[in-house]
Amino acid sequence: MIVGIGIAVVGVGGWGKNHVRVFRDLKGEGLIDNIVIVDIDEARGKKVARMYGVDYYKSIDDALKRDDVEGVVISTPTVLHYAHALKAIEHGKHVLVEKPMTATLDEAVRLYDEAKSSGVILMVGFIMRYHVLTDYMKNLVENGTIGKTLTATSKRTSWWPQRYGDVGVIKDLAIHDIDILHYVLKDKVSQVYAQAKKLKHDYDDYSIILLHFDNGAFAVVEANWLTPYKTRTINITGDNGIVHVDYVLDRIQILKENEIIIPNVKVVEPLLLEDMNFVRTIMGAEEPKVKGLDGIRALAVCEAALKSSEKGGIVEVEYPL
């Protein structure tokens, strides 16, 4: 018999309300007993609570006092991730914090240490890890379908409005592809060269990042908040072929010498898989697909990229863990 758990979603102004929708669906499957939401905007919080039939709190402290809440999703602005996740950990709650894990690498390491010493689960919301095409691509690389990996390129663009007190495009957008490359290539970045500028925002809003991996592969990660066309693509080139993934079209192509293969892959909503993994990890039925360590390593590369752009040269990446 499945015994459901209680979930709190902190921050429902943007992405957080999508978590509420998914958890409501999981409640129907018996994986969730109760859902509570937290938002400092009372009108917004009450509206979402009515929409999904859940309890609302204006204060995170009040929600964390509930013994029937075992897991907490942090979907507040990045600058608040550390404080909110830390409170949840101090209350003995398991945490899924949206990317970037925290605003700074130092905060991420402190949060990781707190979770480890408290014996609670700490996951990071790299949703693209849960896209089935990411694992399909990873398997193609691992089984040698495209041969030895030589280079990778990614392009992630879309218009995004100003967000007060948050982070720039590298930590918000490029970080997705940095994590995907960590995951798919199973390798660390040794050096970074980057250029990042700001045109319409207070933070970097367009960037190009060159990554040099330990195994010799190179990658170019492009991201911007300015182009009014949503692009989410990644290519991995080997000495025996190329794999191309388009996350907007949900399509993967394998380009070989004399053929182009387009596998028919059934796509499941990545957020559903992510939230289900969080719930089942709390239950002890699964392992987390994205751990706090993954959030730290992605942030380490992002901060190296920002440092490279500032100094105008190559920067060595230092992974703290």
Side-chain angles (χ1 to χ4, degrees), residues 3-165:
V3 178
I5 65 169
I7 292 287
V9 179
V10 183
V12 294
W15 189 244
K17 61 180 176 290
N18 292 316
H19 282 286
V20 181
R21 169 182 55 82
V22 169
F23 286 127
R24 191 268 315 271
D25 292 341
L26 293 178
K27 185 176 182 180
E29 297 180 15
L31 293 174
I32 301 290
D33 271 346
N34 63 286
I35 305 165
V36 303
I37 65 171
V38 179
D39 200 286
I40 195 171
D41 186 321
E42 190 170 349
R44 180 171 60 204
K46 288 183 175 179
K47 179 180 177 180
V48 174
R50 287 194 302 270
M51 184 183 304
Y52 293 106
V54 301
D55 293 336
Y56 162 72
Y57 293 92
K58 187 172 184 177
S59 165
I60 185 175
D61 298 292
D62 292 336
L64 293 176
K65 291 176 183 176
R66 289 183 53 152
D67 293 333
D68 59 353
V69 169
E70 289 94 349
V72 179
V73 174
I74 306 297
S75 191
T76 49
T78 302
V79 291
L80 299 175
H81 282 186
Y82 175 74
H84 288 159
L86 183 61
K87 279 189 175 184
I89 291 170
E90 289 173 344
H91 280 78
K93 313 296 186 183
H94 304 292
V95 173
L96 167 61
V97 58
E98 278 298 341
K99 62 79 208 166
M101 180 175 172
T102 51
T104 68
L105 182 59
D106 287 343
E107 286 181 343
V109 173
R110 293 201 300 271
L111 200 62
Y112 174 88
D113 289 339
E114 277 297 324
K116 187 175 181 180
S117 63
S118 299
V120 300
I121 296 161
L122 175 61
M123 293 174 57
V124 182
F126 283 123
I127 192 171
M128 301 314 296
R129 286 264 196 123
Y130 293 88
H131 198 296
V132 295
L133 294 183
T134 300
D135 274 327
Y136 201 102
M137 174 171 54
K138 183 174 185 286
N139 291 334
L140 291 173
V141 171
E142 289 179 349
N143 66 25
T145 299
I146 61 169
K148 176 178 171 57
T149 300
L150 304 174
T151 61
T153 60
S154 72
K155 190 180 189 74
R156 192 170 288 262
T157 69
S158 55
W159 179 83
W160 200 255
Q162 179 70 279
R163 294 190 299 179
Y164 175 76

Side-chain angles (χ1 to χ4, degrees), residues 190-194 210 212 304 307-308 311-316:
S190 56
Q191 294 179 322
V192 171
Y193 177 75
L210 176 62
H212 182 197
K307 184 177 179 181
S308 170
K311 67 177 288 190
I314 296 172
V315 169
E316 302 287 331

